[in-house]
Amino acid sequence: MKTPQLQAVVLAARFVGRVHPTQHLGEACRNALNGEYAVGLTLTADAALAQRVSLCAVGALAARGESLQISLGEGPCVQALRQGAPVLAADLDDARSTEQWPVYAEQARAHGIRAVFALPVLSGSDPSEQSGLVLSLYRDRPGLLPEVDLHLAQDHADAADLLLLATPTPSDEEFAHTWLLPTDAVVHQAIGMISYRHGVTTGQALALLRAHAHTRDMDLTALAHAVVHEHLTLPDLPGPSPR
């Protein structure tokens, strides 16, 4: 693991022990930056985002940008994790910088997002040892990310990594209460219910939820709410029978 920068240590120390500490950290990041950005922070166990949670979404652009990545399973966060390096998409109209996630880029533009900068937390040279944390900045106009804002955002991303390391491993209920955004909790509840009902893995359950959201042209969170609170049953996957 790399040695943390002093600034990241100081930032993390400010929020240890708080409820929703990463949300406070995201707000601090947004206030520290020189430009106008929305800030999102995600944690994922794999580059396909089959096990992904949103730890922070500060600003409407971030909330929508993060939600789209959950719904579509693609976006700058995925690319940043796969390549182990920042993804600095200064103009979502530039097909060259968005070729790995064209659907995300199109839908992000439709919601007013014109630039996205995804900064992964890099713990070393081995991709398998990375933390899975990515801090993303969203902006409503195209343009390069100034170097000073890049460094400030990276400090806050590293601080989020330290916050996770400094927190004892919680139970699922404690994790949902302390770390996750309310909209993400219902998505994970729905995944668990679909997994049980259809006798499939959580990854397959997420794929089924995404596919159904796409065919109905629904937001993933809205569909998850219907599954959990309105007893909506999705069509069976081909193969395994429901339990």
Side-chain angles (χ1 to χ4, degrees), residues 61-73:
L61 291 182
R64 192 58 193 156
E66 300 286 284
S67 177
L68 282 174
Q69 292 192 91
I70 294 174
S71 297
L72 299 172

PDB file of all heavy atoms in Angstrom, residues 61-73:
ATOM      1  N   LEU A  61     -26.181  16.485 -10.379  1.00  0.00           N
ATOM      2  CA  LEU A  61     -25.445  15.843 -11.460  1.00  0.00           C
ATOM      3  C   LEU A  61     -24.784  14.555 -10.986  1.00  0.00           C
ATOM      4  O   LEU A  61     -24.765  13.545 -11.697  1.00  0.00           O
ATOM      5  CB  LEU A  61     -24.382  16.787 -12.029  1.00  0.00           C
ATOM      6  CG  LEU A  61     -24.873  18.001 -12.813  1.00  0.00           C
ATOM      7  CD1 LEU A  61     -23.681  18.797 -13.343  1.00  0.00           C
ATOM      8  CD2 LEU A  61     -25.786  17.598 -13.956  1.00  0.00           C
ATOM      9  N   ALA A  62     -24.231  14.569  -9.778  1.00  0.00           N
ATOM     10  CA  ALA A  62     -23.580  13.368  -9.244  1.00  0.00           C
ATOM     11  C   ALA A  62     -24.602  12.274  -8.984  1.00  0.00           C
ATOM     12  O   ALA A  62     -24.370  11.104  -9.302  1.00  0.00           O
ATOM     13  CB  ALA A  62     -22.816  13.699  -7.967  1.00  0.00           C
ATOM     14  N   ALA A  63     -25.744  12.652  -8.401  1.00  0.00           N
ATOM     15  CA  ALA A  63     -26.770  11.648  -8.116  1.00  0.00           C
ATOM     16  C   ALA A  63     -27.200  10.949  -9.401  1.00  0.00           C
ATOM     17  O   ALA A  63     -27.353   9.727  -9.443  1.00  0.00           O
ATOM     18  CB  ALA A  63     -27.958  12.305  -7.421  1.00  0.00           C
ATOM     19  N   ARG A  64     -27.388  11.733 -10.473  1.00  0.00           N
ATOM     20  CA  ARG A  64     -27.821  11.132 -11.732  1.00  0.00           C
ATOM     21  C   ARG A  64     -26.681  10.372 -12.399  1.00  0.00           C
ATOM     22  O   ARG A  64     -26.879   9.280 -12.938  1.00  0.00           O
ATOM     23  CB  ARG A  64     -28.351  12.232 -12.665  1.00  0.00           C
ATOM     24  CG  ARG A  64     -29.079  11.682 -13.874  1.00  0.00           C
ATOM     25  CD  ARG A  64     -30.228  10.806 -13.443  1.00  0.00           C
ATOM     26  NE  ARG A  64     -30.763  10.018 -14.554  1.00  0.00           N
ATOM     27  CZ  ARG A  64     -31.430   8.884 -14.395  1.00  0.00           C
ATOM     28  NH1 ARG A  64     -31.646   8.410 -13.205  1.00  0.00           N
ATOM     29  NH2 ARG A  64     -31.894   8.229 -15.449  1.00  0.00           N
ATOM     30  N   GLY A  65     -25.489  10.936 -12.363  1.00  0.00           N
ATOM     31  CA  GLY A  65     -24.347  10.272 -12.975  1.00  0.00           C
ATOM     32  C   GLY A  65     -24.030   8.943 -12.323  1.00  0.00           C
ATOM     33  O   GLY A  65     -23.727   7.961 -13.007  1.00  0.00           O
ATOM     34  N   GLU A  66     -24.128   8.894 -11.002  1.00  0.00           N
ATOM     35  CA  GLU A  66     -23.885   7.640 -10.289  1.00  0.00           C
ATOM     36  C   GLU A  66     -24.986   6.631 -10.580  1.00  0.00           C
ATOM     37  O   GLU A  66     -24.728   5.441 -10.790  1.00  0.00           O
ATOM     38  CB  GLU A  66     -23.815   7.916  -8.783  1.00  0.00           C
ATOM     39  CG  GLU A  66     -22.716   8.874  -8.360  1.00  0.00           C
ATOM     40  CD  GLU A  66     -21.338   8.247  -8.424  1.00  0.00           C
ATOM     41  OE1 GLU A  66     -21.000   7.456  -7.541  1.00  0.00           O
ATOM     42  OE2 GLU A  66     -20.615   8.528  -9.394  1.00  0.00           O
ATOM     43  N   SER A  67     -26.234   7.099 -10.584  1.00  0.00           N
ATOM     44  CA  SER A  67     -27.364   6.213 -10.841  1.00  0.00           C
ATOM     45  C   SER A  67     -27.274   5.584 -12.232  1.00  0.00           C
ATOM     46  O   SER A  67     -27.563   4.393 -12.412  1.00  0.00           O
ATOM     47  CB  SER A  67     -28.672   6.984 -10.693  1.00  0.00           C
ATOM     48  OG  SER A  67     -29.780   6.170 -10.995  1.00  0.00           O
ATOM     49  N   LEU A  68     -26.858   6.367 -13.212  1.00  0.00           N
ATOM     50  CA  LEU A  68     -26.724   5.835 -14.570  1.00  0.00           C
ATOM     51  C   LEU A  68     -25.684   4.722 -14.630  1.00  0.00           C
ATOM     52  O   LEU A  68     -25.873   3.722 -15.328  1.00  0.00           O
ATOM     53  CB  LEU A  68     -26.334   6.956 -15.529  1.00  0.00           C
ATOM     54  CG  LEU A  68     -27.452   7.901 -15.979  1.00  0.00           C
ATOM     55  CD1 LEU A  68     -26.873   9.041 -16.800  1.00  0.00           C
ATOM     56  CD2 LEU A  68     -28.495   7.144 -16.787  1.00  0.00           C
ATOM     57  N   GLN A  69     -24.585   4.879 -13.897  1.00  0.00           N
ATOM     58  CA  GLN A  69     -23.557   3.842 -13.926  1.00  0.00           C
ATOM     59  C   GLN A  69     -24.053   2.551 -13.291  1.00  0.00           C
ATOM     60  O   GLN A  69     -23.713   1.451 -13.740  1.00  0.00           O
ATOM     61  CB  GLN A  69     -22.293   4.342 -13.222  1.00  0.00           C
ATOM     62  CG  GLN A  69     -21.624   5.459 -13.999  1.00  0.00           C
ATOM     63  CD  GLN A  69     -20.229   5.776 -13.506  1.00  0.00           C
ATOM     64  OE1 GLN A  69     -19.244   5.217 -13.991  1.00  0.00           O
ATOM     65  NE2 GLN A  69     -20.142   6.666 -12.534  1.00  0.00           N
ATOM     66  N   ILE A  70     -24.873   2.677 -12.229  1.00  0.00           N
ATOM     67  CA  ILE A  70     -25.467   1.481 -11.627  1.00  0.00           C
ATOM     68  C   ILE A  70     -26.426   0.825 -12.618  1.00  0.00           C
ATOM     69  O   ILE A  70     -26.417  -0.391 -12.816  1.00  0.00           O
ATOM     70  CB  ILE A  70     -26.216   1.841 -10.332  1.00  0.00           C
ATOM     71  CG1 ILE A  70     -25.239   2.327  -9.258  1.00  0.00           C
ATOM     72  CG2 ILE A  70     -27.003   0.647  -9.803  1.00  0.00           C
ATOM     73  CD1 ILE A  70     -25.910   2.829  -7.998  1.00  0.00           C
ATOM     74  N   SER A  71     -27.260   1.648 -13.253  1.00  0.00           N
ATOM     75  CA  SER A  71     -28.270   1.113 -14.171  1.00  0.00           C
ATOM     76  C   SER A  71     -27.653   0.452 -15.396  1.00  0.00           C
ATOM     77  O   SER A  71     -28.092  -0.616 -15.828  1.00  0.00           O
ATOM     78  CB  SER A  71     -29.211   2.234 -14.633  1.00  0.00           C
ATOM     79  OG  SER A  71     -29.918   2.777 -13.557  1.00  0.00           O
ATOM     80  N   LEU A  72     -26.623   1.086 -15.967  1.00  0.00           N
ATOM     81  CA  LEU A  72     -26.055   0.632 -17.239  1.00  0.00           C
ATOM     82  C   LEU A  72     -24.883  -0.320 -17.077  1.00  0.00           C
ATOM     83  O   LEU A  72     -24.565  -1.078 -17.997  1.00  0.00           O
ATOM     84  CB  LEU A  72     -25.612   1.845 -18.065  1.00  0.00           C
ATOM     85  CG  LEU A  72     -26.714   2.836 -18.442  1.00  0.00           C
ATOM     86  CD1 LEU A  72     -26.110   4.081 -19.078  1.00  0.00           C
ATOM     87  CD2 LEU A  72     -27.717   2.185 -19.388  1.00  0.00           C
ATOM     88  N   GLY A  73     -24.209  -0.266 -15.937  1.00  0.00           N
ATOM     89  CA  GLY A  73     -23.022  -1.110 -15.756  1.00  0.00           C
ATOM     90  C   GLY A  73     -21.844  -0.659 -16.598  1.00  0.00           C
ATOM     91  O   GLY A  73     -20.936  -1.432 -16.878  1.00  0.00           O
TER      92      GLY A  73
END
